[in-house]
């Protein structure tokens, strides 16, 4: 108590020992505070200047250390801290652009568009770069936003579109739609006998036995393309979405059955038909965007009619080939249970066309496609 009172009354006065003690302490602490402030201030400013004049990546990576900005510092804290030290928005943006591109976007969003900081004083090169980046982002966003929703469907439904198509050679491509069927194995045995490969545009709507046939077709080296699951024109051509639903169904079944991902397809009813005028352009664009190549035909056996005869089918194919101006002959036939007549013509067609100098092959996506012309 005595000490206490003594201290209180033995108080400081100008020139006393206590006065000098306090004065020394004040000077020392003041000096430390001021020098620390200037060290930090000029340290930051130096780093920003260095970046403006083209600091390299190593320098940039050490900047958050020299700025003493701990990882995870919020943009708000950084902004407040730096602006309190007199840095303008463009200085802060500059710092961020060297360290954290994501933070730049956030910063611009939070502080530049809100009208808080002033216009930036970037160099023209930097401005151009920033503009280019934001332009790219805008384009991407716009493209994304404008892309029809069906482009997002079935992200695994893609094929590799060929870089270019091959020559138009004197080749017959026999194609069989709508299988598998009870006739498929007979067709396979004829093809095997003549050592010929053909193409089957298949239906996904089939049985386990049908899937086994699909596998046999693939195993024997023939091409399988997607045709349709429902073959219900009104349903599948109602929209691009509904076409994709049907296509993907068949595509998946063929892939599961054969282990081969189809690259080619044939539109049910042909690529341009009475049911798809409204969706045709979008449909073709979407299937092409996904990398699939579609084939119509330039010779038709016309075996889709009721009870076609051998003579009718045979003559349609032969006359069709003779009237074509192209070398390649893409022949449409059907592989379905009620088209036995078709099966009976296949061997005769092969023999006759081989005599005429044609060779036979299966389609792959590099064969130049034949397309029905939109009317
Ligand atoms: Zn069909």
């Amino acid at each position: 108590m005595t000490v206490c009172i003594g201290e209180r009354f033995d108080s400081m006065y100008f020139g006393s020992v206590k006065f000098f003690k306090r004065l020394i302490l004040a000077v020392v602490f003041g000096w430390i505070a001021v020098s620390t402030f200037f060290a930090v201030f000029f340290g930051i400013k130096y780093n920003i200047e260095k970046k403006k004049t083209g600091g390299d990546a190593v320098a940039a990576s050490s900047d958050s250390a020299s700025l003493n900005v701990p990882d995870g510092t919020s943009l708000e804290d950084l902004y407040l801290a730096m602006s309190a030290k007199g840095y303008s928005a463009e200085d802060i943006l500059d710092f961020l652009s060297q360290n954290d591109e994501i933070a730049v976007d956030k910063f611009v969003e939070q502080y530049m568009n809100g009208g808080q900081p002033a216009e930036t004083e970037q160099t023209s090169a930097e401005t151009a770069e920033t503009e280019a980046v934001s332009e790219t982002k805008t384009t991407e966003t716009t493209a994304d936003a404008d892309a029809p929703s069906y482009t997002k469907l079935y992200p695994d439904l893609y094929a590799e579109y060929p870089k270019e198509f091959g020559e138009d050679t004197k080749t017959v491509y026999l194609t069989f739609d709508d299988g598998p069927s009870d006739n498929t194995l007979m067709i396979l045995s004829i093809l095997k006998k003549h050592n010929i490969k053909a193409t089957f545009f298949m239906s996904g709507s089939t049985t386990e036995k049908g899937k086994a046939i699909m596998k046999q077709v693939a195993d024997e080296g023939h091409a399988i393309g997607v045709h349709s699951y429902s073959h219900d024109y009104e349903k599948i051509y109602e929209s691009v979405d509904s076409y994709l639903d049907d296509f993907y169904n068949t595509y998946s079944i063929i892939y599961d059955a054969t282990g081969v991902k189809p690259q080619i397809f044939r539109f049910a009813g042909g690529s341009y038909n009475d049911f798809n005028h409204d969706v045709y352009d979008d449909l073709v664009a979407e299937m092409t965007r996904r990398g699939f190549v579609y084939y119509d035909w330039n010779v038709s056996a016309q075996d889709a009619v009721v009870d076609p005869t051998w003579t009718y089918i045979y003559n349609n194919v032969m006359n069709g080939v003779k009237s074509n101006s192209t070398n390649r002959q893409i022949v449409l036939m059907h592989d379905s249970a009620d088209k036995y007549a078709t099966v009976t013509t296949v061997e005769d067609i092969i023999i006759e066309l081989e005599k005429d100098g044609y060779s036979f092959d299966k389609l792959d996506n590099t064969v130049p496609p034949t397309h029905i012309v939109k009317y």
Side-chain angles (χ1 to χ4, degrees), residues 177-179 201 203 227-228 231 233 266-270 332-334:
D177 286 10
D178 301 346
F201 291 105
S203 164
H227 192 44
S228 176
H231 220 287
Y233 296 143
R266 175 170 284 156
F267 285 101
L332 167 67
M333 305 179 104
H334 288 86

Side-chain angles (χ1 to χ4, degrees), residues 326-365:
T326 55
N327 281 324
R328 67 189 187 286
Q329 312 288 338
I330 301 179
V331 182
L332 167 67
M333 305 179 104
H334 288 86
D335 169 18
S336 49
D338 59 340
K339 304 297 177 201
Y340 180 70
T342 302
V343 181
T344 65
T345 64
V346 172
E347 185 160 26
D348 301 303
I349 288 168
I350 291 170
I351 290 168
E352 199 57 31
L353 289 176
E354 280 188 332
K355 273 189 209 163
D356 290 345
Y358 283 98
S359 53
F360 287 75
D361 207 349
K362 61 183 173 183
L363 291 170
D364 64 39
N365 63 0

Side-chain angles (χ1 to χ4, degrees), residues 15 24 30-31 49-50 64 71 92 112 146 151 195 204 241 245 250 281 284 290-291 329 336 352-354:
I24 290 165
W31 178 251
E49 288 301 322
K50 193 169 66 175
S64 39
D71 284 345
I92 302 170
M112 307 292 280
D146 289 350
T151 59
N195 195 26
D241 293 59
D245 292 343
T250 304
D281 288 334
V284 166
R290 287 176 181 261
Q329 312 288 338
S336 49
E352 199 57 31
L353 289 176
E354 280 188 332

